[in-house]
């Protein structure tokens, strides 16, 4: 048991060899199963974007840092199994953060966000969880595809590979967040995006609603939602 009530920073989390090992092994397992990249590029992006969303909406600095920690650790449950990885990751994160000495009230916020980030079971239950949902589900990009042979792409590979550009832009004054995606329609038609990501977009709408903003989606310059 670590010293209780330590001020754990995002830098402490990044420097933890234990956490790095879980992220690496979780991504290796997903790679073996044919999933897109879930390693440091993805979790670091999710961490910074979740924190930035809350920062720009005026949430306290510590809340924003906790969101960054949740974003960095949100996928470690994949080391156990892809199924219910959000819940596994929340339990693992509890043990790690508790042993590091993080106060229980902060641990509670982080594990609640992690446990509610996967679209199969997620509900935006807090600002932190809502920000993590938006950060995680907006990460669609060609560089996440690891299959080197396009002839063997499955639908997830094809859709991610078709996305040549993507960005999530928050407009706090106008109270909306907009996901802009550029899709190469020679790879897949636009409807293929919704074939696999409709549930994610509905969850993003719910997350934005929780934060008191509107979620917008634009594909190839045309607003869809």
């Amino acid at each position: 048991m670590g010293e209780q009530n330590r001020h754990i920073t995002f830098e402490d989390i990044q420097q933890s060899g234990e956490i790095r090992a879980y992220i690496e092994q979780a991504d290796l397992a997903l790679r073996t199963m044919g999933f897109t990249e879930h390693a440091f590029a993805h979790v670091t992006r999710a961490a910074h974007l979740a924190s930035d969303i809350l920062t720009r909406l005026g949430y306290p600095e510590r809340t924003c840092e906790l969101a960054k920690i949740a974003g960095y650790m949100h996928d470690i449950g994949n080391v156990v199994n892809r199924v219910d990885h959000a819940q596994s990751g929340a339990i693992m994160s509890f043990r790690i953060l508790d042993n590091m000495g993080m106060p229980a009230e902060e641990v509670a916020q982080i594990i609640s966000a992690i446990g509610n980030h996967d679209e199969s079971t997620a509900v935006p239950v807090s600002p932190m969880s809502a920000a993590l949902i938006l950060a995680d589900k907006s990460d669609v990009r060609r560089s996440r595809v690891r299959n080197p042979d396009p002839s063997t792409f499955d639908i997830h590979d094809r859709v991610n590979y078709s996305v040549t550009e993507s960005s999530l832009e928050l407009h706090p004054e106008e109270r909306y967040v907009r996901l802009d995606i550029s899709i190469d329609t020679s790879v897949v038609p636009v409807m293929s995006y919704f074939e696999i990501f409709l549930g994610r977009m509905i969850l993003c709408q719910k997350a934005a609603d929780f934060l008191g903003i509107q979620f917008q989606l634009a594909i190839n310059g045309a607003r869809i939602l």
Side-chain angles (χ1 to χ4, degrees):
M1 183 71 67
E3 179 187 351
Q4 291 304 299
N5 297 319
R6 282 188 57 209
H7 185 80
I8 305 300
T9 66
F10 178 65
E11 287 69 31
D12 293 328
I13 298 301
Q14 280 192 306
Q15 292 169 11
S16 167
E18 179 182 13
I19 294 171
R20 290 187 65 86
Y22 291 141
I23 293 172
E24 289 171 349
Q25 189 61 39
D27 183 58
L28 178 60
L30 292 181
R31 177 193 291 269
T32 303
M33 291 187 283
F35 283 86
T36 53
E37 181 266 328
H38 283 71
F40 296 104
H42 171 62
V43 300
T44 301
R45 179 189 184 280
H48 287 285
L49 189 51
S51 176
D52 183 61
I53 289 170
L54 295 186
T55 297
R56 297 185 64 201
L57 289 175
Y59 284 87
E61 182 178 353
R62 184 58 177 165
T63 299
C64 300
E65 183 166 39
L66 295 179
K68 190 181 290 189
I69 292 171
Y72 193 76
M73 299 180 71
H74 79 278
D75 268 341
I76 62 173
N78 284 302
V79 75
V80 178
N81 198 291
R82 180 63 178 172
V83 177
D84 295 332
H85 75 279
Q87 289 73 31
S88 300
I91 294 169
M92 291 172 64
S93 297
F94 163 76
R95 176 188 175 277
I96 295 167
L97 297 172
D98 184 56
N99 283 344
M100 292 177 75
M102 179 178 280
E105 58 270 21
E106 294 189 348
V107 176
Q109 294 177 63
I110 290 172
I111 64 175
S112 182
I114 292 173
N116 278 285
H117 84 269
D118 185 65
E119 59 266 26
S120 62
T121 55
V123 177
V125 295
S126 67
M128 192 181 302
S129 68
L132 177 55
I133 287 167
L134 288 168
D136 180 40
K137 304 313 171 193
S138 64
D139 190 13
V140 183
R141 50 187 162 83
R142 177 170 288 186
S143 57
R144 293 191 72 182
V145 178
R146 296 187 286 202
N147 184 348
D149 183 2
S151 68
T152 63
F153 279 0
D154 64 12
I155 183 62
H156 288 84
D157 286 335
R158 288 198 301 275
V159 169
N160 278 278
Y161 189 81
S162 74
V163 177
T164 56
E165 292 183 61
S166 67
S167 64
L168 187 72
E169 298 291 338
L170 176 65
H171 299 266
E173 296 81 11
E174 293 84 3
R175 306 303 294 175
Y176 74 89
V177 62
R178 178 178 170 120
L179 176 59
D180 274 289
I181 296 175
S182 296
I183 290 180
D184 181 350
T185 55
S186 69
V187 179
V188 296
V190 168
M191 282 305 298
S192 291
Y193 178 86
F194 290 99
E195 181 182 345
I196 63 171
F197 289 148
L198 179 59
R200 295 186 184 185
M201 296 301 95
I202 292 173
L203 183 58
C204 283
Q205 284 185 315
K206 293 178 180 178
D209 286 345
F210 190 96
L211 293 169
I213 57 178
Q214 181 188 50
F215 176 73
Q216 298 181 4
L217 171 65
I219 297 180
N220 292 348
R223 182 175 167 186
I224 308 298
L225 296 175

